[in-house]
Amino acid sequence: MTTPEQPGQGDSDIDAIKRGHVPVVDLEAAASGDPATRSDIAAEVGAACESLGFLVVTGHGVPSETVHKLMSASWRYFNLPEDDKRRWMPPSPYVFRGYFPIQSSALAGSLDVETPPDLCEVFAVNRFDNPADAAAAGLQEGREGFFAPNIWPDVEGFRDAWTDYYRAMESLANELMALMARALGLEEGWFDDKIDQHISNLVVNHYPAQRTPPVEGQIRRGAHTDYGSLSILYQDDNPGGLQVQLRDGAWADIPHVPGSFVINLGDLMAAWTNDRWVSTMHRVVNPKPEFCDTSRMSVVFFHQPNYDAEIICIPTCTTADDPPHYEPVTSGQWVLDKLSKSVY
């Protein structure tokens, strides 16, 4: 049985990351509230968003125990027999809650690239506070998948661990969006009324051991860009991990740094910023044959603005010589269009 990783143990590889391709930003000093300090850190975040759309953050304030409990509870779930896991599948693939087995999606499809199904099984939850107006919105046709009740397995500590982690990710996402607003020359609260009823999914990806060789062209997660505003990733350090595509087309590993999160922008943020910031292709590769008995797990908070938030070019990202590149669209419609291409 695979054992959960203890976040924060071992030596950090931050120096190696800094020598590579992915910027590292320490957020700790931003908590002081000092405007000059926050501006400096926002500038680092903005530079990463403009150059690669990926960064590694440390000093984020998320307790390691919160991560450890989430990982432990998730391993308990994914180590269940397949039939038991399927008890908590949603009624439809367009209800974004519960268990999605292997063969249920191929993320490359969101870019109209046909590939075999991804070698990944997933569990997902969304907001659990269910605000009254969000509940009312959920009664409207076409929105059921975003406002349906969560599905909670009968697994020790699962609901509490996931709830605590989701709350921690909400706080971190709010801080990142505030810093991003500052980086774009906006007031820090510019995004507030666009994300105060966000529809963000918390997803744990389990990549099982590959004792049967994959078919040609099949990997753990096909090359894709994310859909929303930003993604917050925690990954373990088992073989067969995340790679990002550089501007020259080469693929670069994103190594595991204990106690950190990987942040990347989604297509919605690229459109919102009029392509000033970038949403970059990434994938999760298969382990080398000598590690085929090793499974892997990652946790992603897919931050998505309010369902009805209008995604229209941010004022500081357009000029007379560079008019808006995209037609206005709502956040909900944007993500629905993306999901319709990748979910089976």
Side-chain angles (χ1 to χ4, degrees), residues 51-52 60 66 85 102 119 132 141 154 167 176 209 259 315 340 342:
S51 63
L52 185 63
H60 44 70
T66 299
K85 288 183 286 191
I102 292 175
L119 293 172
E141 186 177 357
D154 184 16
R167 287 185 174 129
L176 289 166
S340 68
S342 62

Side-chain angles (χ1 to χ4, degrees), residues 101-117:
I102 292 175
Q103 310 292 329
S104 62
S105 68
L107 289 184
S110 64
L111 299 176
D112 297 317
V113 177
E114 186 174 346
T115 67

Side-chain angles (χ1 to χ4, degrees), residues 169-170 173-174 177 195 198-201 227-232 301-305:
M169 292 300 101
E170 283 183 306
N174 287 343
M177 293 294 283
I195 63 172
H198 63 87
I199 50 172
S200 305
N201 255 28
Y227 308 153
S229 45
L230 60 87
S231 304
I232 305 174
F301 184 76
F302 292 107
H303 188 259
Q304 184 73 26

Side-chain angles (χ1 to χ4, degrees), residues 254-338:
I254 299 186
H256 168 76
V257 176
S260 73
F261 292 101
V262 178
I263 312 298
N264 69 278
L265 302 186
D267 298 339
L268 182 145
M269 184 61 83
W272 219 350
T273 61
N274 215 31
D275 297 318
R276 174 175 166 183
W277 287 358
V278 294
S279 175
T280 300
M281 197 89 75
H282 51 285
R283 66 186 183 183
V284 181
V285 296
N286 297 325
K288 294 179 179 179
E290 59 265 35
F291 298 114
C292 66
D293 284 339
T294 304
S295 59
R296 183 181 177 93
M297 195 157 67
S298 66
V299 187
V300 195
F301 184 76
F302 292 107
H303 188 259
Q304 184 73 26
N306 303 354
Y307 189 96
D308 287 318
E310 186 179 37
I311 307 305
I312 188 170
C313 184
I314 291 171
T316 57
C317 296
T318 183
T319 65
D321 295 329
D322 187 22
H325 303 173
Y326 304 90
E327 294 295 323
V329 64
T330 62
S331 165
Q333 189 59 53
W334 177 279
V335 73
L336 276 173
D337 290 345
K338 290 283 186 177

